[in-house]
């Protein structure tokens, strides 16, 4: 249940291993969005009226994510530093022996969780961009697809902790003064590489044009059709994933010398 190419040792933590994992996570995000796009918006999934008989559930999505996380917690998902629950309060303990994950991140990393922001972004801003209007009644498959999208996006954004750690180790003399001064703006400037970000946006758009293309055996049909608009991916990364990842990086670095 961890991310592809999971970092397992201190020795393996470097920019190349980080980059490889992030590239693989792009694939997961794109495919999860494609799966969700099979269903229309299905607005009742996000309405309290659908789950009025379920205690303390704000929506069907809320209920399914909360219950899924409870089950996954019992088998150790959230023992991994790469995984972040959307509902961390009162999660049950794992019934399985815990894997001894190496202490790669600073201990304060465990307190950084911006899933509330990710949830709001996904439901209120992203979903309307790649789903059609309508209601086909497939509420549970819709919410299950949402869960996959949310977890994939959350994992990618919170991976910023690993990015920040390796950048700090590579250049403590650059990051140290800004950390000691608690200077968020200086840290954000150190973490921003516009050329790299533009290359990333071009890559995810190119991937989407491959992964999301409708394949036809009709040689007469020369029009390219896509399950989701490939232009959605650079927008998703440019407006939300990369800025939120850098926010996580800054929050991590501010506590790195505690």
């Amino acid at each position: 249940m961890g991310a592809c190419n999971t970092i397992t040792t201190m020795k393996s933590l470097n920019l190349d291993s980080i980059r490889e994992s992030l590239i693989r996570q792009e694939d997961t995000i794109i495919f999860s969005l494609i799966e969700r796009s099979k269903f229309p918006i299905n607005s009742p999934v996000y309405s309290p009226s659908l789950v009025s008989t379920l205690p303390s559930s704000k929506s069907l999505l809320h209920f399914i994510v909360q219950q899924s996380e409870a089950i996954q917690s019992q088998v150790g998902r959230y023992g991994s530093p790469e995984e972040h629950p959307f509902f961390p309060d009162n999660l049950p303990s794992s019934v399985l022996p815990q894997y001894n994950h190496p202490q790669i991140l600073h201990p304060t990393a465990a307190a950084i969780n911006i899933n509330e922001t990710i949830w709001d972004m996904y439901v209120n801003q992203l979903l309307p961009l790649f789903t059609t209007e309508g209601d086909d009644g497939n509420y549970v498959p819709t919410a299950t697809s949402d869960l996959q999208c949310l977890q994939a996006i959350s994992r990618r954004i919170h991976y910023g902790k690993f990015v920040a750690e390796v950048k700090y180790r590579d250049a403590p003399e650059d990051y140290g003064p800004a950390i000691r001064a608690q200077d968020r703006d200086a840290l954000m400037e150190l973490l921003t590489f516009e050329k790299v970000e533009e290359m990333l946006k071009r890559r995810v758009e190119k991937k989407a044009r491959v992964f999301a293309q409708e394949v036809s055996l009709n040689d007469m049909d020369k029009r390219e059709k896509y399950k989701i608009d490939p232009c959605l991916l650079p927008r998703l990364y440019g407006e939300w994933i990369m800025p939120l990842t850098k926010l996580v990086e800054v929050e991590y670095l501010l506590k790195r010398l505690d």
Side-chain angles (χ1 to χ4, degrees), residues 10-73:
M10 296 282 279
K11 187 177 180 180
S12 67
L13 183 66
N14 55 62
L15 282 176
D16 287 338
S17 64
I18 291 280
R19 188 178 299 110
E20 183 179 347
S21 181
L22 294 179
I23 289 173
R24 293 291 297 274
Q25 289 181 55
E26 293 167 7
D27 303 354
T28 304
I29 290 171
I30 294 170
F31 283 120
S32 67
L33 295 177
I34 292 171
E35 283 299 300
R36 175 58 183 87
S37 72
K38 294 190 300 186
F39 307 104
I41 189 69
N42 282 340
S43 296
V45 170
Y46 317 100
S47 168
S49 61
L50 198 61
V51 289
S52 57
T53 59
L54 298 175
S56 63
S57 291
K58 299 178 181 178
S59 66
L60 179 62
L61 179 61
H62 181 283
F63 178 77
I64 285 181
V65 173
Q66 191 173 49
Q67 296 301 310
S68 298
E69 289 187 342
I71 293 172
Q72 291 169 358
S73 180

Side-chain angles (χ1 to χ4, degrees), residues 8 15 32 35 54 60 67 82 90 102 112 130 155 159 169 194 201 228-229 233 253:
T8 56
L15 282 176
S32 67
E35 283 299 300
L54 298 175
L60 179 62
Q67 296 301 310
E82 298 178 25
N90 302 315
I112 301 171
F130 73 99
R155 186 183 302 115
Y159 220 75
R169 291 188 193 181
E194 293 183 0
K201 288 191 288 185
I228 58 173
D229 184 353
L233 270 299
L253 289 170

Side-chain angles (χ1 to χ4, degrees), residues 11-12 31 44 63 67 76 87 93 112 118 126 137 191 194 206 252 256:
K11 187 177 180 180
S12 67
F31 283 120
F63 178 77
Q67 296 301 310
F87 301 103
S93 300
I112 301 171
I118 294 170
L126 181 60
L191 293 165
E194 293 183 0
K206 186 174 182 179
Y252 177 81
R256 179 59 177 78

